Amino acid sequence: WYNMQPFYDIENLNTYPNVDPSVDRGQQRMDAGRVYFAQDSRVDVSRAMGFKNLDIYCVAPIIKGSSKPDTYDFWAVGTNCCSGTSPDFRCGQYANPRARSGLRLMRDDQRPFFRLAVQQAEAAFKITAAHPLFFYWMQDPVAEMNAYRDEGFKYYLLGIFSFFAVNLFAVTCAVVGFSKVG
């Protein structure tokens, strides 16, 4: 279960096509796992921010065109892909012009640090994030989910074959040991 959990966490959430970050609110998409943003949506690297706590938790708002929404609720995230001192977001596929999708951050241990980075961005850029949602910015979230599934399946098979090898070794030792006794 542990190795397949990232796949199942995202799979159990909704997929939303054509989300407009200048109109839609985070509260409307709280159950989003995969989001396909509207045409002309992009990561606003000029409003990127980082929060350092061992790792640097980097955030940048997702906007549509040059619009300035009332609240910035959709954020692209990553770790150790910005300096934390200047707006220099380099996380995920930030430079890919065809990327306009997000895969939801599901790690509860990281969410508070990304929230602190958003609060820093709110203070620094005088913006509001009423209900921020965090996404890994990418072109194809389905391919990433398939990679999660394949990684989990790889460890599943590794566990089965490891058990088989240990079991075979134990049976072989028992057979050899009992053959010398009798």
Side-chain angles (χ1 to χ4, degrees):
W1 167 254
Y2 175 77
N3 291 310
M4 293 296 286
Q5 187 172 1
F7 171 76
Y8 288 122
D9 283 347
I10 298 292
E11 184 68 22
N12 289 331
L13 294 174
N14 274 335
T15 300
Y16 288 103
N18 205 33
V19 172
D20 186 344
S22 64
V23 177
D24 293 338
R25 300 288 175 249
Q27 289 175 320
Q28 296 171 299
R29 306 288 184 235
M30 288 174 57
D31 63 342
R34 288 173 284 180
V35 171
Y36 297 90
F37 291 99
Q39 194 69 30
D40 296 329
S41 296
R42 64 182 177 83
V43 175
D44 185 2
V45 295
S46 68
R47 289 189 176 96
M49 186 59 67
F51 176 82
K52 184 170 183 169
N53 182 24
L54 297 178
D55 290 317
I56 301 175
Y57 296 87
C58 307
V59 298
I62 299 169
I63 62 170
K64 182 178 177 186
S66 59
S67 66
K68 295 188 174 135
D70 296 335
T71 178
Y72 292 79
D73 284 347
F74 300 96
W75 294 78
V77 300
T79 53
N80 300 319
C81 49
C82 66
S83 67
T85 57
S86 62
D88 60 347
F89 188 84
R90 298 178 307 276
C91 306
Q93 297 180 2
Y94 77 99
N96 181 350
R98 294 175 32 173
R100 60 180 183 93
S101 302
L103 198 61
R104 183 79 172 264
L105 168 76
M106 296 303 295
R107 291 197 43 193
D108 291 332
D109 61 322
Q110 291 182 338
R111 192 171 295 114
F113 299 115
F114 286 121
R115 182 63 176 121
L116 288 169
V118 167
Q119 289 173 351
Q120 283 183 306
E122 287 178 297
F125 303 114
K126 296 177 180 39
I127 60 176
T128 304
H131 192 87
L133 301 177
F134 304 119
F135 297 93
Y136 295 107
W137 186 252
M138 61 189 61
Q139 180 178 344
D140 188 5
V142 173
E144 187 70 19
M145 285 194 54
N146 289 339
Y148 288 175
R149 184 196 60 220
D150 294 346
E151 185 75 8
F153 193 65
K154 177 181 78 174
Y155 283 109
Y156 170 73
L157 290 176
L158 181 65
I160 287 175
F161 289 128
S162 297
F163 175 78
F164 176 75
V166 169
N167 200 21
L168 181 65
F169 177 73
V171 168
T172 303
C173 290
V175 166
V176 169
F178 285 127
S179 69
K180 291 185 180 187
V181 170

